[in-house]
Amino acid sequence: MSDIIFTLGELFCGPGGLAWGAMNADVPGMKIIHAWANDYDESTCQTYTHNICPDNPNSVYCEDVHILDLAKLGDIDALAFGFPCNDFSVVGEQLGFKGKFGPLYSYGINALNMYHPKWFLAENVGGIKSANEGTAFKRILADMTNAGYRLVPNLYRFEEYGIPQARHRMIIIGIRNDLPYEFKVPSPNGYEPMTCRSAIEIPPIPADAPNNEHTRQSPQVVERLKYIKPGQNAFTADLPPELRLNVKGAKISQIYKRLDPNKPSYTITGSGGGGTHVYHWSENRALTNRERARLQTFPDDFVFEGSKEEVRKQIGMAVPARGAKIIFEAVLKTFARIPYDSVDASIKE
């Protein structure tokens, strides 16, 4: 008996965290394969192509979604879109629909209305629920519902699923109304917590691993890190006056923050300036991009293209690859009618 295959299209595909999870989802008799993808950033598209579809580079459309001709992409069984989160993040101004990026989700809605895939996965930051006093999230859910889908939105805390990073993301699964399947949120029960030390050190990163070059640290940064203990940052550590930061009104907890080796990492972001690289728990340095990629659960043979700074941004913007795999497997089990341990969604429509 041949596998049931779902062809997957992606908007705002990023470097391929969702795609890796989809392609590696392991459910007997079910498979997800790449159909097409879109992103506007050239190095990001190169990374995606290299790792997800090296034999089909023309299936990756490196174009601004504002001018992308959706009609040329082709029919799909499933859609994934991690629409840009900048305007919904609690770290930023949370402009929501008033910002440059907030309205971009509508292109995913357009794709749903054009291709009517059997199911979709949409992803954004947890802060989306409170943007625009909560009206943005309600509007997004309403538009998805009106496109013809039953929705299960849930705030996933990936560290509860054995991911070595405290990363909280809103993920919405939609199944087309005419299909008799009911998605349930996979339970985190049974997943062992993973520390950042275990993720980075076990097994050791190979000497020839890609994207593993060290960042050059200034003498002042090295000296500052000497005073910062695991889990501390530049504001909670006992720094001498000459090494303190003169930052008024903003004491972001991740500035020069060392990892606690006995816990999952704090959230990996795409930034890197001003002491936000993510810092080793004992060595006086920032993590390498490969170490950051391990905290995002990308395998060591996943090669990121572009400059070191471009790669850092790609890794920080991605969905944890193995976290995505868990959710895609739950979708496939839903369609295969294979029971799995589940929980009630923590976010109601």
Side-chain angles (χ1 to χ4, degrees):
M1 183 176 176
S2 60
D3 288 342
I4 296 174
I5 295 175
F6 295 98
T7 54
L8 178 69
E10 284 192 82
L11 295 176
F12 319 108
C13 64
L18 283 174
W20 188 94
M23 307 305 137
N24 286 275
D26 185 15
V27 174
M30 311 291 281
K31 185 179 295 185
I32 303 171
I33 63 172
H34 163 81
W36 49 257
N38 159 256
D39 203 283
Y40 77 98
D41 182 76
E42 185 175 353
S43 62
T44 298
C45 290
Q46 292 171 352
T47 295
Y48 187 101
T49 301
H50 181 101
N51 295 281
I52 304 301
C53 53
D55 298 328
N56 190 13
N58 292 332
S59 66
V60 179
Y61 297 87
C62 194
E63 300 179 31
D64 186 330
V65 73
H66 293 96
I67 59 175
L68 174 69
D69 180 9
L70 287 175
K72 73 181 180 182
L73 302 177
D75 288 336
I76 49 174
D77 300 308
L79 176 71
F81 58 110
F83 51 105
C85 62
N86 311 55
D87 290 323
F88 298 117
S89 174
V90 294
V91 176
E93 297 180 72
Q94 225 176 354
L95 296 173
F97 289 149
K98 299 175 184 177
K100 175 183 176 181
F101 300 99
L104 292 180
Y105 85 96
S106 63
Y107 291 90
I109 303 297
N110 292 343
L112 293 176
N113 285 318
M114 180 174 293
Y115 291 115
H116 307 291
K118 296 173 182 175
W119 55 271
F120 73 82
L121 181 154
E123 177 267 342
N124 208 278
V125 292
I128 191 173
K129 190 169 185 289
S130 56
N132 299 135
E133 292 77 47
T135 60
F137 189 56
K138 291 178 181 178
R139 165 75 178 279
I140 290 170
L141 293 179
D143 287 349
M144 291 173 173
T145 298
N146 292 337
Y149 292 84
R150 296 188 306 280
L151 309 179
V152 180
N154 186 64
L155 182 66
Y156 289 81
R157 296 172 174 84
F158 280 113
E159 67 272 23
E160 296 178 355
Y161 291 84
I163 305 303
Q165 179 190 171
R167 195 176 189 91
H168 302 165
R169 288 295 183 269
M170 181 68 67
I171 292 181
I172 306 164
I173 299 295
I175 295 181
R176 209 171 62 200
N177 281 334
D178 63 321
L179 299 176
Y181 306 103
E182 296 292 337
F183 176 80
K184 295 182 182 298
V185 175
S187 171
N189 293 336
Y191 291 95
E192 290 293 325
M194 179 176 287
T195 68
C196 56
R197 184 204 293 266
S198 295
I200 290 173
E201 292 187 347
I202 304 175
I205 295 175
D208 59 349
N211 310 116
N212 200 37
E213 61 273 18
H214 284 217
T215 297
R216 184 177 300 172
Q217 311 287 182
S218 71
Q220 185 184 47
V221 168
V222 171
E223 194 63 24
R224 181 179 291 124
L225 289 171
K226 290 178 181 179
Y227 289 88
I228 300 175
K229 299 176 182 178
Q232 290 185 336
N233 62 41
F235 304 104
T236 58
D238 185 14
L239 295 176
E242 67 273 15
L243 295 175
R244 293 173 188 166
L245 298 181
N246 295 317
V247 180
K248 295 182 179 180
K251 294 189 176 182
I252 299 173
S253 63
Q254 292 190 8
I255 293 181
Y256 293 108
K257 183 173 182 178
R258 282 195 188 271
L259 295 174
D260 183 331
N262 300 315
K263 296 180 179 179
S265 164
Y266 54 87
T267 304
I268 303 299
T269 69
S271 62
T276 58
H277 280 90
V278 183
Y279 292 85
H280 197 276
W281 55 88
S282 62
E283 299 177 24
N284 297 321
R285 62 173 179 85
L287 296 189
T288 69
N289 278 327
R290 180 50 52 190
E291 290 169 331
R292 290 159 56 89
R294 278 208 173 180
L295 297 177
Q296 284 278 55
T297 62
F298 284 96
D300 287 346
D301 61 359
F302 195 102
V303 179
F304 293 88
E305 304 285 355
S307 69
K308 189 166 62 175
E309 290 71 26
E310 289 170 333
V311 169
R312 184 175 65 235
K313 182 177 179 181
Q314 291 174 38
I315 293 170
M317 297 295 284
V319 177
R322 295 193 180 278
K325 178 176 183 285
I326 290 168
I327 298 170
F328 281 117
E329 286 178 345
V331 173
L332 293 182
K333 288 176 182 177
T334 298
F335 277 82
R337 299 191 185 280
I338 298 173
Y340 60 92
D341 192 13
S342 62
V343 295
D344 290 335
S346 62
I347 301 296
K348 305 298 183 184
E349 295 179 50

